[in-house]
Amino acid sequence: MFTRDDMTATILSNTEVAPCHYLMTLAVSKVFGQAQPGQFVMLRPAGRGFPFLGRPLGIYSLAEQADGARIEVLYRAAGKGTKVISALCEGDRIEILGPLGNRFEHRPGMKAAVLVAGGIGIAPLVFLAKRLSLASLSERPRLILYVGARDSAGLLGIDRMKTFGVEVRVSTDDGSAGYRGPVTDLLLQDLASFDAAKTEIFVCGPNPMLKRLSDMVADQAIPCQVLMEERMACGMGACLGCTIEVRTPSGVEYRQVCADGPVFDLRSIVWR
């Protein structure tokens, strides 16, 4: 049972780290110490009429403390709600619901984990990379990140990834950093070099990127998990606002990203 203290957090910092992109650190209750890579929170400014509904944000990092926990969320101020959140300051209180959703699943025995991020999709993959990097030497997979953005200013989280020993491959649409072109094209150059029996792919980014990657791995045996990002109202599957179609053994069925995901098998997603 959640208490009122579990559903409120204190903002420790809320810093613009790139144009329209912010890194927020929150002091939260001990229940967040159970958060797993891939899960998310719903955030809403406390005591305000707008935004009326929370905004779903992926967990960027987690640190347990004696008096609770600290989490970071990396987000883009794209709409009215996240712009209000971006204006909050140190010491402000914010309503929080979470941790919500399922998690990325790392398969024992895998020798390589390929992380594919588009833009702000890097956020949940940083949390995942940190967790994978803590495995024992015999169990820790090789970590390779393919990250793409429109330009060099949109490349976030790379320095943090490098501290975990992640090998980084960069692409930008305008060629201002790394490979010029979509990150999926950059990955395609290396895809055949990975041992399908010992490699897994974890991906988060915009839907066109996800669809392209889905086409790329359709005939591959490499397991591929995707964290889907959809508009949400409740975060618990009640409003049906984040419904997607997935393939199941019994046919195409509906799933809620918040309650059944946000992590799915990439090959199960029906792209429209």
Side-chain angles (χ1 to χ4, degrees):
M1 178 69 71
F2 291 135
T3 68
R4 182 177 295 274
D5 288 341
D6 295 332
M7 294 187 287
T8 54
T10 300
I11 296 175
L12 302 179
S13 63
N14 192 22
T15 306
E16 188 172 22
V17 294
C20 299
H21 291 77
Y22 293 79
L23 180 62
M24 177 186 287
T25 305
L26 297 167
V28 294
S29 76
K30 290 184 177 180
V31 300
F32 287 88
Q34 305 168 16
Q36 300 294 326
Q39 292 189 301
F40 66 98
V41 297
M42 298 288 289
L43 293 181
R44 179 182 178 276
R48 301 195 184 193
F50 182 87
F52 178 73
L53 300 171
R55 294 299 187 266
L57 299 175
I59 298 174
Y60 184 66
S61 77
L62 164 69
E64 295 187 68
Q65 307 283 326
D67 60 343
R70 304 289 183 270
I71 65 169
E72 289 181 306
V73 291
L74 179 67
Y75 66 99
R76 182 166 66 97
K80 292 180 180 179
T82 46
K83 287 179 180 177
V84 170
I85 291 173
S86 72
L88 299 177
C89 302
E90 177 184 353
D92 286 344
R93 300 285 280 171
I94 192 166
E95 296 175 5
I96 185 167
L97 183 64
L100 301 170
N102 62 359
R103 58 168 292 173
F104 287 115
E105 295 290 346
H106 170 59
R107 304 185 183 192
M110 291 289 132
K111 299 301 183 183
V114 176
L115 315 177
V116 187
I120 199 65
I122 188 76
L125 298 179
V126 168
F127 189 13
L128 173 64
K130 172 66 177 296
R131 189 62 58 88
L132 293 176
S133 74
L134 296 177
S136 65
L137 188 60
S138 62
E139 292 294 327
R140 179 184 171 177
R142 176 190 174 198
L143 301 172
I144 311 101
L145 169 69
Y146 292 82
V147 57
R150 292 179 179 175
D151 52 40
S152 59
L155 293 168
L156 306 171
I158 291 176
D159 290 341
R160 184 82 64 100
M161 284 288 202
K162 289 179 177 179
T163 67
F164 308 144
V166 179
E167 303 168 34
V168 177
R169 315 274 194 269
V170 170
S171 76
T172 51
D173 293 347
D174 66 357
S176 55
Y179 173 83
R180 180 169 187 167
V183 68
T184 46
D185 287 358
L186 180 61
L187 172 62
L188 186 60
Q189 296 178 4
D190 300 337
L191 191 59
S193 68
F194 295 110
D195 181 352
K198 295 294 182 180
T199 303
E200 53 192 351
I201 298 175
F202 303 94
V203 57
C204 184
N207 281 357
M209 184 196 89
L210 302 181
K211 184 179 185 303
R212 170 59 177 151
L213 183 56
S214 179
D215 293 339
M216 287 167 49
V217 301
D219 297 325
Q220 302 279 338
I222 300 178
C224 189
Q225 297 174 46
V226 58
L227 190 151
M228 297 293 293
E229 297 180 313
E230 293 287 335
R231 292 181 180 274
M232 297 179 189
C234 68
M236 296 180 291
C239 71
L240 307 182
C242 59
T243 301
I244 61 172
E245 291 179 291
V246 300
R247 298 181 184 87
T248 73
S250 57
V252 174
E253 298 181 0
Y254 294 112
R255 294 288 186 269
Q256 278 67 60
V257 170
C258 63
D260 300 308
V263 179
F264 297 87
D265 182 336
L266 179 62
R267 294 176 180 84
S268 74
I269 305 298
V270 177
W271 303 102
R272 299 295 186 186

